[in-house]
Amino acid sequence: MELRDYQVGDALPTLTKPPVTKTQLVMYSGASGDYNPIHTVEEFAHSVGLGGVIAHGMLTMAFAGQMLTDWIGSGGVLGQYKVRFTGMVRPGDTVSCSGEVLERIVENDRTRFTVTVRAVTDQGIEAISGTAIVWI
Amino acid sequence: MQNLTSIIGQTTSAVLNEVEKGAVRKFADAIGDPNPIFRTGDASGRITVPPTFSFTFDHGDLDGFSLKTDGLIHGEQEFNLLHPIYVGDTLSCSMTVKDVYERSGKSGSMTFLVLEQTGVNQHGKTCYHNVATIIIR
């Protein structure tokens, strides 16, 4: 289905990522400059009561960002993307990203979609919940 | 945290950030996104960045407060993407404290810090206004 054909209530193509690995958390720390040890150092993460390292919230947000850019392709532009971080992702978890068209408004020559965005782990934990605005 | 409200309105000195090809590729590799637009570019050969990439830029330091302090929780993040960012751009990035407020919850009082991050490219185009809500336990 073409981007312009999406209607209110239509689901975006889901994206299920491979399980998060500790190596990926080290890679994301380096790539993002976020060296908070709760994401990479087990002893530290235990010492602050997290029970082990957790993924960066921004990594999960990037996963759902990939779902959005895959959906949009070259046919549109992402204007806004916002989420609340609602739960933790841990190494070994598989994150599935999904979304649904909430609003479709045609203004002059442009079409504006507002879509919901959600990422949930295979443990049933919702990690992020938010919305995005896409223009054609 | 009592005096943190005094930093409302404080803006960092802008920091120049070069958008480097290798940095964009490493970010795409880290998130596991194989999209060629982040590696070899679009039809015109311009390489763009993933939607959340601007969060990695250096937006400068606030006086008397470090975001690298322990006990911070990223509560919410908003990206307002106003103009494309391309590899080769040089962005002037800064950050403003928009709000600081207290909320009491089950685990006691928490401080919420609302930061707006802005990046302006070498042509004077504002590429993004991002808003981060950080929770201090």
Side-chain angles (χ1 to χ4, degrees), chain B residues 3-105:
Chain B
N3 297 321
L4 211 52
T5 51
S6 66
I7 68 170
I8 294 173
Q10 191 184 131
T11 299
T12 60
S13 300
V15 179
L16 290 179
N17 287 260
E18 264 184 69
V19 184
E20 296 168 353
K21 186 177 180 179
V24 175
R25 191 195 66 239
K26 280 180 184 162
F27 186 89
D29 286 348
I31 67 177
D33 187 340
N35 198 327
I37 63 170
F38 308 131
R39 294 178 174 79
T40 51
D42 59 16
S44 62
R46 289 187 302 186
I47 301 171
T48 187
V49 305
T52 61
F53 186 75
S54 56
F55 193 75
T56 71
F57 294 138
D58 182 356
H59 291 85
D61 296 316
L62 295 164
D63 291 334
F65 182 78
S66 172
L67 278 179
K68 296 178 178 76
T69 307
D70 296 337
L72 300 182
I73 301 167
H74 202 164
E76 294 177 33
Q77 180 64 36
E78 172 177 328
F79 291 87
N80 293 289
L81 306 169
L82 310 175
H83 187 79
I85 298 169
Y86 295 110
V87 161
D89 283 354
T90 300
L91 300 187
S92 175
C93 304
S94 60
M95 177 165 67
T96 300
V97 181
K98 299 301 282 186
D99 200 7
V100 178
Y101 57 92
E102 298 267 339
R103 283 277 165 82
S104 47

Side-chain angles (χ1 to χ4, degrees), chain A residues 17 24 79-83 85, chain B residues 30-32 75 77 79-81:
Chain A
K17 299 291 291 180
Q24 183 169 33
Q80 188 191 64
Y81 174 29
K82 62 178 181 179
V83 304
F85 299 100
Chain B
I31 67 177
Q77 180 64 36
F79 291 87
N80 293 289
L81 306 169

